[in-house]
Amino acid sequence: MTHNAPDESLLHAYADDQLADAERERVAAWLARNPQAAADVASWAEQRTLFHDAFDPVMDEPLPQALLDRIDAGQPASAGRWRMAAAIGWLAIGLFGGYLVGHQAGQPDTSLAQSPIVRDAAMAYAVYSPEVRHPVEVGADQREHLVAWLSKRVGGHITAPDLQQHGYSLIGGRLIASHDGPGALLMYEDPTGQRLTLFICHEEEATETAFRFAQAQDVNVFYWVDGPLGYALTGPIPREELQAVAISVYQALNP
């Protein structure tokens, strides 16, 4: 791939995790420079996850015995063809039903809220964002010390992205517990006092890198995995606004 924009088929292949490592890295680098395209690809990847969650269980469902009995009662020579047709028909019914259920009112997949990183991030936001006097352990005035300390404890390189373009300033951060050992929490605030948190933890076995969206404890969460670390941006702002901030965070982490 050259410096030109990848075509849509390549972007879809990226969203479906169908590219070789070298090609995937080149597409990821291009997406990092093109936030709108990155948002589109993240949306495709999320849809892929939702479809798999809704449809994969249908593949394991047995055909209704009553349907099989009626097929077997027919002519033996055509039974195999009828069984195949019935299987296809039954799968189509299941897929269509799953599609309708999964798209009612455009709701996010609430099962994602059970992900450990989402639970950790939502709980950390609920506990620390309301704090007035002690929201963080180390303030933004000690930024270098903060990121060095958290990087050492979490076991990966951590930076504190600049979110001024979205109206949020770094307050500071703290060390917290996560589902996989020490975790880092960076807190940001806008002029009205509204806060966002960026939760970072080590993800030993994770391979998913695409943005995923969930709602937990009355807040929205965008999370993803990049190398050995998992990230979750959490706040009470609308999904589209939070996604824009999440893209800026990703770009800051992958210059």
Side-chain angles (χ1 to χ4, degrees):
M1 186 179 71
T2 67
H3 292 294
N4 295 330
D7 60 31
E8 189 167 314
S9 63
L10 196 60
L11 293 178
H12 277 287
Y14 178 89
D16 292 336
D17 200 19
Q18 298 297 312
L19 296 180
D21 290 344
E23 191 75 270
R24 183 174 181 82
E25 289 178 4
R26 287 193 288 270
V27 173
W30 183 85
L31 290 173
R33 300 190 298 271
N34 296 270
Q36 184 56 57
D40 292 340
V41 171
S43 177
W44 299 340
E46 182 185 341
Q47 290 174 11
R48 174 174 63 89
T49 299
L50 295 177
F51 274 111
H52 277 293
D53 290 344
F55 300 157
D56 285 356
V58 178
M59 300 296 293
D60 298 324
E61 291 182 4
L63 294 176
Q65 189 58 47
L67 180 59
L68 293 176
D69 290 342
R70 294 181 67 179
I71 294 171
D72 291 337
Q75 297 180 359
S78 61
R81 292 196 300 271
W82 278 106
R83 278 178 175 268
M84 179 62 72
I88 294 172
W90 185 247
L91 176 60
I93 292 171
L95 292 180
F96 184 67
Y99 178 86
L100 292 178
V101 171
H103 285 74
Q104 286 180 351
Q107 293 298 317
D109 185 353
T110 54
S111 67
L112 298 181
Q114 301 306 312
S115 173
I117 191 171
V118 173
R119 291 199 304 268
D120 291 347
M123 181 61 70
Y125 185 90
V127 171
Y128 296 112
S129 66
E131 285 290 327
V132 177
R133 297 186 62 185
H134 305 290
V136 298
E137 288 182 272
V138 179
D141 57 330
Q142 301 180 62
R143 193 188 197 105
E144 292 186 7
H145 165 65
L146 173 65
V147 297
W149 170 52
L150 293 178
S151 296
K152 181 178 180 180
R153 293 304 310 274
V154 173
H157 179 64
I158 291 176
T159 62
D162 187 342
L163 301 181
Q164 292 282 0
Q165 61 177 312
H166 299 283
Y168 289 89
S169 300
L170 180 69
I171 300 174
R174 63 169 61 243
L175 182 70
I176 63 174
S178 81
H179 63 280
D180 195 17
L185 189 72
L186 301 176
M187 188 175 296
Y188 295 82
E189 186 177 76
D190 72 3
T192 70
Q194 182 166 256
R195 291 173 173 174
L196 300 179
T197 57
L198 178 61
F199 172 73
I200 308 169
C201 67
H202 198 265
E203 288 286 298
E204 184 66 35
E205 300 180 356
T207 57
E208 181 66 51
T209 59
F211 282 5
R212 302 184 74 183
F213 173 74
Q215 290 179 328
Q217 300 189 24
D218 299 324
V219 292
N220 290 331
V221 182
F222 265 103
Y223 68 105
W224 66 97
V225 176
D226 190 2
L229 299 179
Y231 300 85
L233 184 69
T234 307
I237 62 178
R239 173 176 176 165
E240 294 76 12
E241 185 178 344
L242 188 66
Q243 183 177 17
V245 180
I247 291 172
S248 292
V249 170
Y250 180 82
Q251 291 176 323
L253 297 172
N254 297 272

